[in-house]
Amino acid sequence: MIIVMKPHAPQEAVNQVTSLIKSHGLETHLSQGHQVTIIGVVGDKNKLCCDNIQLLPYVDKLIPVTESYKLSNKKFHPEPTRIRVKDLEIGPDTLTVMAGPCAVESEEQLMTVARAVKKAGAQILRGGAYKPRTSPYSFQGLEEEGLKYMAQAGEETGLATICEVISAQSMEAAVKYVDMIQIGARNMQNFQLLREAGRAGLPVMLKRGLSATIDEWLNAAEYIISEGNPNVILCERGIRTYETATRNTLDISAVPVIKSKSHLPIFVDPSHASGVQAYVSPLAKAAVACGADGLMIEVHNDPEHALSDGPQSLTFRIFDELMQDLGKYAALAERKMA
Amino acid sequence: MIIVMKPHAPQEAVNQVTSLIKSHGLETHLSQGHQVTIIGVVGDKNKLCCDNIQLLPYVDKLIPVTESYKLSNKKFHPEPTRIRVKDLEIGPDTLTVMAGPCAVESEEQLMTVARAVKKAGAQILRGGAYKPRTSPYSFQGLEEEGLKYMAQAGEETGLATICEVISAQSMEAAVKYVDMIQIGARNMQNFQLLREAGRAGLPVMLKRGLSATIDEWLNAAEYIISEGNPNVILCERGIRTYETATRNTLDISAVPVIKSKSHLPIFVDPSHASGVQAYVSPLAKAAVACGADGLMIEVHNDPEHALSDGPQSLTFRIFDELMQDLGKYAALAERKMA
Amino acid sequence: MIIVMKPHAPQEAVNQVTSLIKSHGLETHLSQGHQVTIIGVVGDKNKLCCDNIQLLPYVDKLIPVTESYKLSNKKFHPEPTRIRVKDLEIGPDTLTVMAGPCAVESEEQLMTVARAVKKAGAQILRGGAYKPRTSPYSFQGLEEEGLKYMAQAGEETGLATICEVISAQSMEAAVKYVDMIQIGARNMQNFQLLREAGRAGLPVMLKRGLSATIDEWLNAAEYIISEGNPNVILCERGIRTYETATRNTLDISAVPVIKSKSHLPIFVDPSHASGVQAYVSPLAKAAVACGADGLMIEVHNDPEHALSDGPQSLTFRIFDELMQDLGKYAALAERKMA
Amino acid sequence: MIIVMKPHAPQEAVNQVTSLIKSHGLETHLSQGHQVTIIGVVGDKNKLCCDNIQLLPYVDKLIPVTESYKLSNKKFHPEPTRIRVKDLEIGPDTLTVMAGPCAVESEEQLMTVARAVKKAGAQILRGGAYKPRTSPYSFQGLEEEGLKYMAQAGEETGLATICEVISAQSMEAAVKYVDMIQIGARNMQNFQLLREAGRAGLPVMLKRGLSATIDEWLNAAEYIISEGNPNVILCERGIRTYETATRNTLDISAVPVIKSKSHLPIFVDPSHASGVQAYVSPLAKAAVACGADGLMIEVHNDPEHALSDGPQSLTFRIFDELMQDLGKYAALAERKMA
């Protein structure tokens, strides 16, 4: 934390700031420039509600120097995290593809999709049993029944499984049936849910919030890890911008940014990012070329009749072609597709 | 719902679209322009997962015509909603001010602030007992103990009280102690919590999400109302933009926009919107000049030592001056300050 | 400028940074924290292409401490600027209203509008002769003919006049006919044009760019002032965000932010900000309540047939009512409406 | 253009709308839904200032159906454009790399960089002679002297050359020395300059504005093409969002979106998009994987001492490695790197 004083701040104003800091057991370090005085705070700034200092007279601004997240920070944990799910290893040496329908609609639908994505080469089956929908009048998911179908599909195909949870209750149900849990974009700062995910005992995929900064995202991961669960995967799924040609704007740069700031694996979801079937494959390839550790892709047996997210779902044929292409991109990136 | 076909779409492509629509029990209406054919869908579009149509050949785009929210829509409920809390009426004839600390820190702190805001003319006491914080290492609130102090402060001063809830559990506790509940920006699309707020029996203030569109916000209100609770207040608290001079960007236009689209009361929170003490008073006046039904303002006995949001909290003296000014603005707007 | 080193940066990395800085004739100031070393740069940073330092090994980030704009900076010029145009004084004691059609369409149209806004109490006539339009197929303005009508209207009514310029050529023409020139949002970083505006000899209204930060805006003003023209008015006209209910999002907080960072007058244009006739009056009042020094408002004799921006133009009747209301808001703000 | 009426609009309100439309020589087509009446406008909407209709009573909203750009629209020109510069063909079968320093700093610097990027395999030399800079106190370019060095470097190395122009004057100079001209992001809606670029006789690279929608971008291209110059290349260079981890947010989805909406070639500039040397290579690969026709990359002989954009410039070694990698990605995408 650095405090910049306004030009010509009198000595007593500087003293007032240093006194407040010292009263919290921290030390200060003064630097006198030509125009301005700068005060560095030395010590554990969590002891201090630092932001309040900006209310003192002649204080121009506060500048944080260190990140508030520690456990998800590459500076303190330089080695990339590797996560084991069933017989898979998610991490720097592999490219992992999660695929499946946006929503589990029926046993038959899910089994059909599960077999198709398994055959195409996906390693993890996705499928929503609890759907957060903008309107209360839209389909909200099969809930526990959907989870049971997921378990069944996992067993039959050998795919690992992942489901989104949206509350304590759905988390409690999900851990009984699936191999990984997902926190969706809308719940990225549902801190209660994050803490519960930290105690759930399963790997967690944490999607980036619709307008979350990368800092906020890593702080959200910190909530999960600080409860004892180090197995967190980050998933970029598009952020909200003014552009309307796509559902969201895929922040592809988040991939190298996360690689430079954190040791956690980073996935990309081109389906939610774009919202358009025709854009999913090019964006999936871009994600792999950029260094992503994995992908989450929506695939449906009959997108035209899907109960949710049809327009962005791939048909089996398109997904199959994409997986063949991805194999080549994974090879260039020196990653194994299990 | 209108479907725009691409130029030179063959008749069979048009037929395919109309067949799909009719198969859901809806009717179509064709309009043949010079370049493009347009297909209108007549009937209750909830019967149809309309979005999927964009996957059909030669479909250029889909255009929604009617809003998905009904109960919060002014088109169907032209009269402005009036909400009673204790002896207050919130609505088009009054200006209601909620004030208090960001977080309840202690009994003494809360009582001191409650007496001061009451004396200055506020009608409702705010105070956070459950704090959603970006970092897990920040102060998280006194929880039920904080709620008890709120009840006590309400009783002693006669102020109505409002607290944010962040989970089913905190909601259950809050309804026992306070007069209104608040859903914070980060939970605006925590649909489970919205449903529970719809069944909680108390008026609900619904803050706009950090990057929520006005449409999504009204759909979130729809979740609450559709569970049987019509007493919803909307609160604009700043949206996320690229500008960093303020903590968020106060979307002041949301006030007249909501007035034109919905019958629900609209409040403004200039404290969270700006994040800067010096900007709170000008923005509060702007909100009233613009037609807001009320304000939510953070006030603290000692902002420099506040455990949360100190930099944007008003001192008693500043709040007192602001309330005197607001009286004049309320008079211009022909609103009573109870 | 402050340089933050990564944790455990070796001494030689610190030395490399300080050497580079010293080689530019600047001094350094070291501060050793528990985790990180911080290096302050003392002296005129314009001597140094500071940003390059971030390429050196173990450099974590650079943090600018002082603003790059000087002449428009309140820190160095605390007194608010007052600008004289004809017999008007624009500044902290007055509320100035610029009104008129988006585009000058004909002599008759302009004269009709000029008389009406004069009668309603406006002090300055706006009217576009050169129109920057998104599509090349839209009406582009009457150019020099339009300027002549502006001069004529100014003479007849006594109103001061302002016109947007979009190029060196249009600037050359405009200075012959009008009292003030306007740089539009799309040209806020047309630096060539800014320099020319600095040499034009007339007061300049500088609109904020569609997605300009306040810092960039003040730097754009710096281009004008540094060429010798101190008479710059800033005009907030809405910024681009994800929200589509309004044409742009009026950043009303820009008013108090500019008041705290600069001595230049700040106006608000609620017409372009909202794009909707019904929202203009509430936003105009909000701007005055918030501390704006003036307003720019589009008024048209026949909005339904306007060649540009009809939907946001006020009719004479609405403008007249608004001006009467603004008188009361100006009185509360202790400003004279000339 | 479709006009949606409010629920229960009386017949006379519908008649008023249809009369206004017919008075402009256009036809209407009515569609009566359960709740709302919809009026389609048939004919060339440029005859009508359509937007004004939203001022009529009971009009709910207007919905544009066709794009305003025609010449850059794929619907009317399905074949991808191929552009010849010197002996190069830019378009769907090739991958073209433009590389060079942000700013031309001296003859020696430019020649050194030109030889290095030529050797690494780039086909076009970039180099700024006129620099639009946020602050008037930053280095502004060598102007015509810089152009001369560009011509000389092109001659010696055989590279084609491209320079940014910022005004009529710089355009006039540039066409004498270089093979292509560039319109920068800040001038994307400098319509005067766009028209001049349309008459300049050289291929034009049009960068996307900092917050331009794809629609606005294609309309800007329309300005150039409608003046007779069909040789326009679009260049995505990052858009402004709330995220600060990168200088801008690379909108990688713009690549497939442009491919679906326009026939013009689309390039990506990962240097300006990210602002960080370490992110340039991953983003460059992503762009190619996603379907980009080319790249623009900043390369400098000594980034640490660059006068502009040092932090995002690649060293010769990094650029060389990147070019080798890009060869493999181009092969996967079935594109020749000339």
Side-chain angles (χ1 to χ4, degrees):
Chain A
M1 169 70 54
I2 286 163
I3 294 127
V4 181
M5 302 299 290
K6 288 186 181 161
H8 317 304
Q11 188 56 42
E12 62 205 301
V14 175
N15 294 347
Q16 197 178 351
V17 172
T18 54
S19 298
L20 180 60
I21 294 167
K22 287 175 179 166
S23 76
H24 284 87
L26 301 166
E27 284 168 60
T28 59
H29 189 106
L30 253 73
S31 167
Q32 184 67 50
H34 287 179
Q35 289 173 355
V36 298
T37 299
I38 290 169
I39 304 167
V41 179
V42 182
D44 177 6
K45 73 164 182 151
N46 283 320
K47 290 186 186 169
L48 175 64
C49 280
C50 303
D51 293 352
N52 299 336
I53 294 171
Q54 87 187 40
L55 292 167
L56 294 182
Y58 288 94
V59 170
D60 188 19
K61 56 184 164 187
L62 308 190
I63 301 172
V65 165
T66 49
E67 295 88 3
S68 53
Y69 53 92
K70 305 294 174 201
L71 301 170
S72 53
N73 196 326
K74 193 178 178 180
K75 282 180 191 158
F76 308 111
H77 306 261
E79 278 305 299
T81 288
R82 292 157 199 270
I83 296 175
R84 297 209 64 89
V85 184
K86 277 190 163 176
D87 57 342
L88 302 169
E89 187 188 273
I90 295 169
D93 302 327
T94 55
L95 180 70
T96 307
V97 179
M98 300 172 164
C102 178
V104 179
E105 298 172 16
S106 71
E107 183 182 346
E108 190 192 338
Q109 173 245 18
L110 185 65
M111 294 309 300
T112 309
V113 178
R115 286 178 207 122
V117 301
K118 167 75 180 180
K119 193 171 156 218
Q123 301 102 329
I124 300 181
L125 177 68
R126 65 147 287 150
Y130 301 85
K131 300 303 306 169
R133 300 300 294 271
T134 302
S135 163
Y137 310 123
S138 300
F139 174 64
Q140 311 269 329
L142 295 183
E143 309 199 341
E144 190 153 354
E145 188 189 340
L147 290 172
K148 286 178 186 166
Y149 300 150
M150 287 294 288
Q152 181 184 331
E155 207 164 314
E156 189 191 303
T157 60
L159 291 164
T161 53
I162 184 168
C163 262
E164 180 172 356
V165 295
I166 59 170
S167 61
Q169 192 187 355
S170 56
M171 174 110 55
E172 210 176 310
V175 296
K176 293 186 285 185
Y177 296 105
V178 294
D179 302 310
M180 298 179 68
I181 56 180
Q182 174 186 322
I183 306 283
R186 289 179 182 78
N187 282 309
M188 194 203 83
Q189 291 196 318
N190 183 337
F191 300 116
Q192 191 75 16
L193 193 63
L194 295 175
R195 288 192 189 283
E196 282 156 9
R199 298 186 292 256
L202 293 182
V204 177
M205 165 171 279
L206 177 65
K207 287 200 152 185
R208 184 178 182 182
L210 260 77
S211 65
T213 62
I214 285 175
D215 246 53
E216 291 168 342
W217 193 12
L218 289 171
N219 269 297
E222 195 81 3
Y223 267 91
I224 300 172
I225 305 176
S226 66
E227 294 288 328
N229 186 349
N231 296 315
V232 177
I233 294 167
L234 301 170
C235 182
E236 160 66 33
R237 43 76 74 207
I239 59 173
R240 177 150 277 174
T241 71
Y242 65 85
E243 177 58 62
T244 58
T246 42
R247 185 168 166 180
N248 298 288
T249 296
L250 177 62
D251 181 9
I252 190 88
S253 313
V255 176
V257 172
I258 288 292
K259 292 269 171 223
S260 80
K261 290 186 183 288
S262 180
H263 50 89
L264 298 174
I266 168 80
F267 276 46
V268 168
D269 173 349
S271 306
H272 284 90
S274 68
V276 178
Q277 190 190 69
Y279 303 156
V280 172
S281 293
L283 294 178
K285 295 176 199 169
V288 177
C290 206
D293 298 301
L295 294 164
M296 172 170 261
I297 295 173
E298 290 188 345
V299 178
H300 197 281
N301 52 316
D302 182 8
E304 290 167 22
H305 291 90
L307 294 182
S308 176
D309 280 353
Q312 71 202 34
S313 294
L314 300 190
T315 60
F316 293 164
R317 188 185 56 71
I318 301 176
F319 181 64
D320 207 58
E321 282 172 20
L322 172 60
M323 287 298 284
Q324 289 175 38
D325 281 352
L326 288 181
K328 301 170 197 160
Y329 285 91
L332 275 192
E334 299 183 4
R335 289 177 181 272
K336 282 172 288 179
M337 282 180 83
Chain B
M1 170 70 56
I2 286 164
I3 295 125
V4 182
M5 303 298 290
K6 287 186 180 161
H8 317 304
Q11 188 57 42
E12 62 204 301
V14 175
N15 294 348
Q16 197 178 350
V17 172
T18 54
S19 298
L20 180 61
I21 294 168
K22 286 176 180 166
S23 75
H24 285 87
L26 300 167
E27 284 168 59
T28 60
H29 189 107
L30 252 72
S31 168
Q32 184 67 48
H34 287 179
Q35 288 172 356
V36 297
T37 300
I38 289 169
I39 304 167
V41 180
V42 182
D44 176 5
K45 73 164 182 152
N46 283 320
K47 290 187 186 168
L48 176 65
C49 281
C50 302
D51 294 351
N52 299 336
I53 294 170
Q54 88 187 41
L55 291 168
L56 295 181
Y58 289 94
V59 169
D60 187 19
K61 55 184 163 187
L62 308 191
I63 301 173
V65 165
T66 48
E67 294 89 3
S68 53
Y69 53 92
K70 305 293 173 201
L71 301 170
S72 54
N73 196 327
K74 194 179 178 179
K75 282 180 190 159
F76 308 112
H77 306 262
E79 279 305 300
T81 289
R82 292 157 200 272
I83 296 175
R84 298 209 63 88
V85 184
K86 277 190 163 176
D87 57 342
L88 302 168
E89 186 188 272
I90 294 169
D93 302 327
T94 54
L95 179 70
T96 306
V97 179
M98 300 171 166
C102 178
V104 179
E105 297 172 16
S106 70
E107 183 182 345
E108 191 193 336
Q109 173 245 18
L110 185 65
M111 294 309 300
T112 309
V113 178
R115 286 179 208 122
V117 301
K118 168 75 181 181
K119 193 171 155 217
Q123 301 102 327
I124 301 181
L125 178 68
R126 66 148 286 150
Y130 301 86
K131 301 304 305 169
R133 301 299 294 272
T134 301
S135 163
Y137 310 123
S138 301
F139 175 64
Q140 311 269 330
L142 295 183
E143 309 199 343
E144 190 154 354
E145 188 189 340
L147 291 171
K148 286 179 186 167
Y149 299 151
M150 286 294 289
Q152 181 184 331
E155 207 163 316
E156 189 193 302
T157 60
L159 291 164
T161 52
I162 184 168
C163 262
E164 179 172 356
V165 296
I166 58 170
S167 61
Q169 191 187 355
S170 56
M171 174 110 55
E172 211 176 310
V175 296
K176 293 186 283 184
Y177 296 104
V178 294
D179 301 309
M180 299 180 67
I181 57 181
Q182 175 187 322
I183 306 283
R186 289 179 183 77
N187 283 309
M188 195 204 83
Q189 291 197 316
N190 183 337
F191 300 116
Q192 190 76 15
L193 194 62
L194 295 175
R195 288 192 190 283
E196 281 157 9
R199 297 186 293 256
L202 293 183
V204 176
M205 165 171 279
L206 177 65
K207 288 200 152 184
R208 183 178 184 181
L210 259 77
S211 66
T213 62
I214 286 175
D215 246 54
E216 290 168 342
W217 193 12
L218 289 170
N219 269 298
E222 195 82 3
Y223 267 90
I224 301 172
I225 305 176
S226 65
E227 294 288 327
N229 186 349
N231 296 315
V232 176
I233 295 168
L234 301 169
C235 182
E236 161 66 32
R237 44 76 74 206
I239 59 173
R240 178 150 276 175
T241 71
Y242 65 85
E243 177 58 62
T244 57
T246 41
R247 185 168 165 180
N248 298 288
T249 296
L250 177 62
D251 181 9
I252 190 88
S253 312
V255 176
V257 171
I258 288 293
K259 291 269 170 223
S260 80
K261 290 187 184 287
S262 179
H263 50 88
L264 298 174
I266 168 81
F267 276 46
V268 169
D269 173 348
S271 306
H272 284 91
S274 67
V276 178
Q277 191 190 68
Y279 303 157
V280 171
S281 293
L283 294 177
K285 294 177 200 169
V288 177
C290 206
D293 299 300
L295 294 164
M296 172 170 260
I297 295 173
E298 289 187 347
V299 178
H300 197 281
N301 51 319
D302 182 8
E304 290 166 21
H305 291 90
L307 293 181
S308 176
D309 281 352
Q312 71 202 35
S313 294
L314 300 191
T315 60
F316 294 164
R317 188 185 55 71
I318 301 177
F319 181 63
D320 207 58
E321 282 173 19
L322 172 60
M323 288 299 284
Q324 290 175 39
D325 281 352
L326 288 181
K328 300 172 198 159
Y329 285 91
L332 274 193
E334 298 182 6
R335 288 177 182 271
K336 282 171 289 180
M337 281 180 82
Chain C
M1 169 70 57
I2 286 164
I3 295 124
V4 181
M5 303 299 289
K6 287 185 181 161
H8 316 303
Q11 188 56 42
E12 62 205 301
V14 175
N15 294 347
Q16 197 178 351
V17 172
T18 55
S19 298
L20 180 61
I21 293 167
K22 287 177 180 167
S23 76
H24 285 87
L26 300 167
E27 284 168 60
T28 59
H29 189 106
L30 253 72
S31 168
Q32 185 67 49
H34 287 180
Q35 288 172 354
V36 298
T37 299
I38 289 169
I39 303 167
V41 180
V42 182
D44 177 5
K45 74 166 182 151
N46 283 320
K47 291 186 185 169
L48 175 65
C49 282
C50 304
D51 294 350
N52 299 336
I53 293 170
Q54 88 187 42
L55 292 168
L56 294 182
Y58 290 93
V59 170
D60 186 21
K61 56 184 165 186
L62 307 190
I63 301 172
V65 164
T66 50
E67 295 88 5
S68 53
Y69 54 91
K70 305 293 174 201
L71 301 169
S72 54
N73 196 327
K74 193 179 180 181
K75 282 181 192 158
F76 308 112
H77 306 261
E79 277 306 298
T81 288
R82 292 156 198 274
I83 296 174
R84 297 210 63 89
V85 184
K86 279 191 162 175
D87 57 343
L88 301 169
E89 187 188 272
I90 294 168
D93 302 327
T94 55
L95 180 70
T96 306
V97 178
M98 302 173 163
C102 178
V104 180
E105 297 172 16
S106 72
E107 184 183 344
E108 192 193 337
Q109 173 244 18
L110 185 65
M111 294 308 300
T112 309
V113 178
R115 287 180 207 119
V117 301
K118 168 73 180 179
K119 194 172 154 217
Q123 301 103 326
I124 301 182
L125 178 68
R126 64 148 289 150
Y130 302 86
K131 300 304 306 169
R133 301 299 295 271
T134 301
S135 164
Y137 310 124
S138 300
F139 175 65
Q140 311 269 327
L142 294 182
E143 309 199 342
E144 190 153 355
E145 189 188 340
L147 290 171
K148 286 180 185 166
Y149 299 151
M150 286 294 289
Q152 183 183 330
E155 208 164 312
E156 191 192 301
T157 58
L159 291 164
T161 52
I162 185 167
C163 261
E164 179 172 356
V165 296
I166 59 170
S167 60
Q169 193 186 353
S170 58
M171 174 110 56
E172 213 177 308
V175 296
K176 293 187 285 186
Y177 297 105
V178 293
D179 303 309
M180 299 179 69
I181 57 180
Q182 175 187 322
I183 306 282
R186 289 178 183 78
N187 283 310
M188 195 204 83
Q189 291 196 316
N190 183 337
F191 301 115
Q192 191 75 16
L193 194 63
L194 295 175
R195 287 191 189 283
E196 283 157 7
R199 298 186 292 256
L202 293 182
V204 178
M205 166 172 278
L206 177 65
K207 288 200 153 186
R208 182 178 184 182
L210 260 76
S211 64
T213 62
I214 286 175
D215 245 53
E216 289 168 342
W217 194 12
L218 289 170
N219 269 298
E222 195 82 3
Y223 267 91
I224 301 173
I225 304 175
S226 66
E227 293 288 327
N229 186 348
N231 296 315
V232 178
I233 295 167
L234 301 170
C235 181
E236 161 65 33
R237 42 78 71 208
I239 60 173
R240 179 150 276 174
T241 70
Y242 65 85
E243 178 56 63
T244 58
T246 43
R247 186 168 164 180
N248 297 288
T249 296
L250 176 62
D251 181 9
I252 190 87
S253 313
V255 176
V257 172
I258 288 293
K259 292 270 170 221
S260 80
K261 290 186 182 291
S262 180
H263 50 89
L264 298 173
I266 169 79
F267 277 45
V268 168
D269 174 349
S271 306
H272 283 90
S274 68
V276 178
Q277 192 190 67
Y279 303 156
V280 171
S281 294
L283 294 178
K285 294 176 200 171
V288 177
C290 205
D293 298 301
L295 294 164
M296 171 169 261
I297 294 173
E298 290 189 344
V299 178
H300 198 281
N301 52 318
D302 182 9
E304 290 167 21
H305 291 90
L307 293 181
S308 176
D309 280 352
Q312 72 203 35
S313 295
L314 299 191
T315 60
F316 294 163
R317 189 184 55 72
I318 300 176
F319 182 64
D320 208 58
E321 282 172 19
L322 172 60
M323 287 299 284
Q324 289 176 37
D325 281 352
L326 288 182
K328 299 170 199 160
Y329 284 91
L332 275 193
E334 298 183 6
R335 289 176 179 273
K336 281 172 290 181
M337 281 181 83
Chain D
M1 171 69 55
I2 287 165
I3 295 125
V4 181
M5 303 298 290
K6 287 186 181 160
H8 318 303
Q11 187 56 42
E12 62 204 303
V14 174
N15 294 348
Q16 198 179 349
V17 172
T18 56
S19 298
L20 180 61
I21 293 167
K22 286 175 179 166
S23 75
H24 285 87
L26 300 167
E27 284 168 59
T28 59
H29 189 105
L30 252 72
S31 168
Q32 185 66 50
H34 287 180
Q35 288 173 354
V36 298
T37 300
I38 289 169
I39 303 168
V41 180
V42 182
D44 178 4
K45 74 165 183 152
N46 283 320
K47 290 186 185 170
L48 174 66
C49 281
C50 304
D51 294 350
N52 299 336
I53 293 171
Q54 86 188 43
L55 291 168
L56 295 181
Y58 288 94
V59 170
D60 187 21
K61 56 184 165 186
L62 308 189
I63 301 172
V65 165
T66 50
E67 294 88 3
S68 53
Y69 53 91
K70 306 292 174 200
L71 301 169
S72 54
N73 195 327
K74 193 178 179 181
K75 283 181 191 158
F76 308 112
H77 306 261
E79 279 305 299
T81 288
R82 291 157 199 272
I83 297 174
R84 296 209 64 88
V85 185
K86 278 189 162 176
D87 57 342
L88 302 169
E89 187 187 272
I90 294 168
D93 302 327
T94 55
L95 179 71
T96 306
V97 178
M98 301 173 163
C102 178
V104 179
E105 297 172 17
S106 72
E107 183 182 345
E108 192 192 336
Q109 172 245 17
L110 185 66
M111 294 309 299
T112 309
V113 178
R115 287 178 207 122
V117 301
K118 167 75 180 180
K119 194 172 155 216
Q123 301 103 327
I124 301 181
L125 179 67
R126 66 148 288 151
Y130 301 86
K131 300 304 306 169
R133 300 299 294 272
T134 301
S135 164
Y137 310 123
S138 299
F139 175 65
Q140 310 269 329
L142 294 182
E143 310 199 342
E144 189 151 355
E145 189 188 340
L147 291 171
K148 285 179 187 166
Y149 300 151
M150 286 295 288
Q152 183 183 330
E155 208 164 312
E156 191 192 301
T157 59
L159 290 165
T161 53
I162 184 167
C163 262
E164 179 171 356
V165 296
I166 58 170
S167 61
Q169 192 186 355
S170 57
M171 174 110 56
E172 211 176 309
V175 296
K176 293 186 286 185
Y177 297 105
V178 293
D179 303 308
M180 299 179 68
I181 56 180
Q182 175 187 322
I183 307 283
R186 289 178 184 77
N187 282 309
M188 194 204 83
Q189 291 196 316
N190 183 337
F191 301 115
Q192 191 75 15
L193 194 63
L194 295 176
R195 288 192 189 282
E196 282 157 8
R199 297 186 295 256
L202 292 182
V204 177
M205 166 171 278
L206 177 66
K207 287 200 154 184
R208 183 177 183 181
L210 260 76
S211 65
T213 63
I214 285 175
D215 245 52
E216 290 168 342
W217 194 14
L218 289 171
N219 269 298
E222 195 82 3
Y223 267 91
I224 301 172
I225 305 175
S226 66
E227 293 289 325
N229 185 349
N231 296 315
V232 178
I233 294 167
L234 301 169
C235 183
E236 161 66 32
R237 44 76 73 207
I239 60 173
R240 179 150 278 174
T241 70
Y242 65 85
E243 177 57 63
T244 58
T246 43
R247 187 169 165 179
N248 298 287
T249 296
L250 177 62
D251 181 9
I252 191 87
S253 312
V255 176
V257 172
I258 288 293
K259 292 269 170 222
S260 79
K261 289 185 183 291
S262 179
H263 49 89
L264 298 173
I266 168 79
F267 277 46
V268 168
D269 174 348
S271 306
H272 283 91
S274 68
V276 178
Q277 191 190 67
Y279 303 156
V280 171
S281 293
L283 294 177
K285 294 176 200 170
V288 177
C290 204
D293 298 301
L295 294 164
M296 171 169 261
I297 295 172
E298 289 187 347
V299 178
H300 197 282
N301 51 317
D302 182 8
E304 289 167 22
H305 291 91
L307 293 181
S308 176
D309 280 352
Q312 72 202 35
S313 295
L314 300 191
T315 60
F316 294 164
R317 188 185 55 72
I318 300 176
F319 181 65
D320 207 60
E321 282 173 19
L322 172 60
M323 288 299 284
Q324 289 175 38
D325 281 351
L326 289 181
K328 300 171 198 160
Y329 284 91
L332 275 192
E334 298 184 5
R335 290 176 180 272
K336 281 172 289 180
M337 282 181 82

